[in-house]
Amino acid sequence: LFLSLVLGDITQKGYEKKRAKLLAPYVPQTQGRCLFRRFRFLLSEARDCFAGVEPAFQKESKPQLPVPSAAPASAPAAASASKFHRARSGGARDERYRSDIHTEAVQAALAKHKEQKMALPMPTKRRSTFVQSPADACTPPDTSSASEDEGSLRRQAALSAALHQSLQNAESWINRSIQGSSTSSSASSTLSHGEGKGTSGSLADVFANTRIENLSVPPDVTATTSSSSSSSSARPAAIDLPPSGIVKGVPVSSRVSTKIQQLLNTLKRPKRPPLKEFFVDDFEEIVEVPQPDPNQPKPEGRQMTPVKGEPLGVVCNWPPALEAALQRWGSTQAKCPCLTALDVTGKPIYTLTYGKLWSRSLKLAYTLLNKLGTKNEPVLKPGDRVALVYPNNDPVMFMVAFYGCLLAEVVPVPIEVPLTRKDAGGQQIGFLLGSCGIALALTTEVCLKGLPKTQNGEIVQFKGWPRLKWVVTDSKYLSKSPKDWQPNISAAGTEPAYIEYKTSKEGSVMGVTVSRVAMLSHCQALSQACNYSEGETIVNVLDFKKDAGLWHGILTNVMNKLHTISVPYSVMKTCPLSWVQRVHAHKAKVALVKCRDLHWAMMAHRDQRDVSLSSLRMLIVTDGANPWSVSSCDAFLSLFQSHGLKPEAICPCATSPEAMTIAIRRPGVPGAPLPGRAILSMNGLSFGVIRVNTEDKNSALTVQDVGHVMPGGMMCIVKPDGPPQLCKTDEIGEICVSSRAGGMMYYGLAGVTKNTFEVIPVNSAGSPVGDVPFVRSGLLGFVGPGSLVFVVGKMDGLLTVSGRRHNADDIVATGLAVESIKTVYRGRIAVFSVSVFYDERIVVVAEQRPDASEEDSFQWMSRVLQAIDSIHQVGVYCLALVPANTLPKTPLGGIHISQTKQHFLEGSLHPCNILMCPHTCVTNLPKPRQKQPGVGPASVMVGNLVAGKRIAQASGRDLGQIEDNDLVKKHQFLTEVLQWRAQATPDHPLFLLLNAKGTTVCTATCLQLHKKAERIASVLSDKGHLNAGDNVVLLYPPGIELITAFYGCLYAGCIPVTVRPPHAQSLTATLPTVRMIVEVSKAACILTTQALMRLLRSREAAGAVDVKTWPTIIDTDDLPRKRLAQLYKPPTPEMLAYLDFSVSTTGMLTGVKRSLLWLEARKAFRAVKLWIQCRLGAQKSLLQRREGGLWSGHQEFCCCLPLGEQGILPGVKVVIVNPETKGPLGDSHLGEIWVNSPHTASGYYTIYDNETLQADHFNTRLSFGDAAQTLWARTGYLGFVRRTELTAASGERHDALYVVGALDETLELRGLRYHPIDIETSVSRTHRSIAECAVFTWTNLLVVVVELCGCEQEALDLVPLVTNVVLEEHYLIVGVVVVVDPGVIPINSRGEKQRMHLRDSFLADQLDPIYVAYNM
């Protein structure tokens, strides 16, 4: 159990609870109380210890610990472990970003925000969404920082039982996370109002108690209400109708309205920075780079000159090659210790001498060259590349393999041990191995056994990796070389020595090739800078396979006959003081550490107080390039100065894989003053200039130097973007180094190599400065007074937002300065930028603690946003919290930033909390369009004529050409045609009914249809006692029964009203619509099937409507064989034929009257409303289409489907009209489609006659330019006519009609009109789990509702994806994203989305959404 605690598999609280339960039967209660007091004392000591490390601990209340029951002997040990682990799980391991000054600054900035009392709407979440499904997600993670750590390396088999045991009680974790953090969206208004913390409750209280008496009018949530929380009712200051019209029955006191009010209040704050808004018609120039602020700081110094380091001295005994040094020490000083490895407890387990290193390396070199193949076909030859796959706790085997490769003249490529097929970044490592042509991997026997295997026992094929042959390098498998065999050791040249892998910002892995002469020169420069002398002992806590751990602990070590004590991270996790103990025990002169190691030692230093660091002359802090390392160094010095640590011994250095060691602070003279610090303005740094901070102490960055340039090197600072122009002396740029000791190329990547390794700096005029090539280091900094080098960030962590540069480490530091101890794991925060809408946007992702409540998380997120905005003057686009242990990790346990970014963009991050702030960040939107003063229709027509454009008109073929037929004249009505066909062609099949498989299940011939229609007419007369002209509702599913009932009504002279039957599974939703149509149409009878008749009278139906008020219901399943004596013949063609009722997409029920003229024979079979069905995918919804309203845009680029020659029906004329002025528009201009034809509908079916509405829709005239005064019917559809190059049958050029969408569906936002289907199409393709989508507006906010067909874990993934795609493709900011279950979006009988019904349900809080996100 203790081992699980130490490894971070369970929390301190879980450990104590389980231990108390296990040991309770064996310890008396009094003893338990005594132990409890001892525990309290030790914990208070621990808190005192943390006071200088973790400010958040000072504010934490005393823990409520269960009474632990343990033997007295184990109490001190358990207490010390408790002390260490409590701090560690609290996140103090990532204290490399801690700064007391910065923390105070952040708290001061947040205090200003508190004064504003701005209530942010908290997202609404369904209860089930809180539950983290995987059990391991509830296990506290290894809180390792983004720097490398062994936290995620594979567990030994012996630990599997402990791991299993720690997960046994996972259910209690989940239950606790639910109780602590979840609140049902429908049950708790506290959660959804965000009342839990701070100031967010005041405004919510007002709105929660607000009641508006007139429920028929929606509230104006843009107006402020003046009311106290005690008042029981209040009225808004003004009522503003939504653009779509009046919506009845929306309870405006719902929580949704409250949240939208909070959101609008939040959005009233001015954006930062206030950028100029603009709008350019040209698509490529819609958004341009914002104009620079005239007050921004600019560099004022002179152009810098390259800075030279001290000359590289010549020492007589330096070897001509590193292999020669190994040969020398292996032969002459064989018993001198070279490398000591530690076991898991931190005790020395094996010491490799120089003699052993030489002999074993020799054996390996001989084996590689002579024993892996045949004499004629060797597997390896000099110059080939091999992979070194060794675990981080086995430096001895790695060192032997590395030098064995050097002696064999093959090029080693050290990589991490692969754990699974799906390791983060594993595919990119495979790409590196493939590009290097590697076919052989060296490893140990133990490591080989631990690799994942297939069922056949073979090593799995890792994703993206080439096929490898694995060679075990344990001594027992190597062949001893003959006495006469000697390796070829020549003087160091430019041939490759080894390849070090490097992961770029985008996630790609490149191999930095280091030549033999560069390797040797670097060792010489390090020896001179660090003043190494033979026989010194150094302690190395770094990864020995790369970077400074390799350069000092493996290479320079051998050159100077040093003794390296290698402390792996697995030891550091169990004993964080182990490296300090090794320095004390071995009287080490030099220690190689990172800031994290300093903090681990500080946390555990009271476990052993008798350590001495007086022997250290250099404490090399290898991540001194991190600008936040100064606080780590200061805290460590203040704590360990009493243990003999000399202030001048702390030596930060700056390194990079390409330029290797760039600068290092030389060990100082005792008593000499320490180098000064630079206190820089963060505002100045964001503009790339150096300014001493004098304005706002809250936004200052204190930076320490990293010493001087390396011996034999030369350094310059160039602009990070564009050509490598030398910076001015007060300007921040990328550090470039020219030296023999640096990388030579990225292996196999010539193009990238030239831009990185062969940089020739230029002056302001663009002329080259000298001809010496420099290497880009990837570090940002400047050269200060006394040629001291200062580093302020990395190119990989650079976030360029609106022309200003921010550093990811600075953002992390600010986020951590907000009290995060109860919400997130401090070491598990990733900051990166994504490109959205022509600029970079900052994204922050952190791992949330399983026991963090929703309110705490939301409060922390809100405060982080405020802090970053105040300190850095930049907005965060998205802040996401993910469950514990779910962020992808690097091989050594840090966060894999590029993989995290990829998951975010793919929608596979699965956050448990998310906060989007596009309104704050996106300041480069096009300027909202202002409506121009109206231009009259006459002016438009004259303008078109002057421009040579014709009026947008089109027409189908003339009906007169096909009606010269006596038969047609004789049979004017469809009923007559059917009777004639029943006699002339009785067996001709008219209708076929197909099932889902496409097979015919039912047919209707002319005769069958006629006879069945006669029987139905008879039933209507006999049973229904109906007269001609009575309305009859036909309630049938689509099929032949519906068709026969339709003709039966026509035979009886009744008016059929076709209605979609209700769904048995959702009667409450569908039956009221049926009831409404029956009532509105004043139907005298309902024709239906027996099954539907039973449904209409069922108990379930009685719960939705009053079933006793149905009119006569007649089922047509069993019809009597009786027919009418005489079939009905209408006296005139203008008489009503049938009623077409439907619910529009805006929620309005309309009934359209169709006359018998519309049903005339030859016309009816063609008139299938083809023009309505032509729904275009005008996906690139062109700004031209939206510009200046609806009708003035030019349609040159519209990607729509033209209707063919038959698209416009015979006898139909079409004109495109401005819907406001009713004037005709020109060719290719967008407007409303008006139609003139003999078969249009005759009017609306209304209870009260509204002649004005009728005339406007069915009989309207153009306001200008139509001398014939033609009567037109308005379709309500937007479209345009365009003359094509095709030729019509008449010989004239063909006019194509394009339909864009319905006029009443358009959304007006930012002065432009949008069609919902365009936005919905964009949203639907962003993620595979989006089943359906609908959009609507509410108080000028765009609301997007998406149906989630995947697991609820993916719900929050959709929020950033939806926001991104609408912003990118439609230049709109989404206000609210609602994630719902499949089937929630209502669909009418024609398959159209009922967006207004959906809006009403949303505002009335009736959707039961999975998640509602309010974008800030």
Side-chain angles (χ1 to χ4, degrees), residues 54 106 115 127 213 454 457 470 531 538 565 600 671 677 702 813 854 913 966 1002 1024-1025 1030 1069 1229 1306 1384 1404:
E54 171 62 276
V106 169
E115 295 168 8
R127 179 181 294 273
E213 294 172 10
T454 63
W470 295 84
N531 197 19
I538 65 174
I565 315 292
W600 286 13
R677 271 76 183 278
T702 303
E854 291 299 309
N913 273 304
D966 292 336
C1002 187
H1025 308 294
D1030 286 347
H1229 279 238
T1306 55
V1384 168

Side-chain angles (χ1 to χ4, degrees), residues 577-598:
L577 204 63
S578 56
W579 72 269
V580 176
Q581 293 167 346
R582 291 301 105 206
V583 170
H584 169 75
H586 295 270
K587 299 291 184 287
K589 299 289 186 183
V590 179
L592 292 153
V593 296
K594 288 192 175 182
C595 293
R596 175 197 43 223
D597 309 321
L598 303 182

Side-chain angles (χ1 to χ4, degrees), residues 714-728:
M714 187 162 57
M715 177 185 291
C716 68
I717 313 292
V718 301
K719 291 185 182 293
D721 307 316
Q725 181 184 334
L726 285 173
C727 290
K728 295 182 179 178

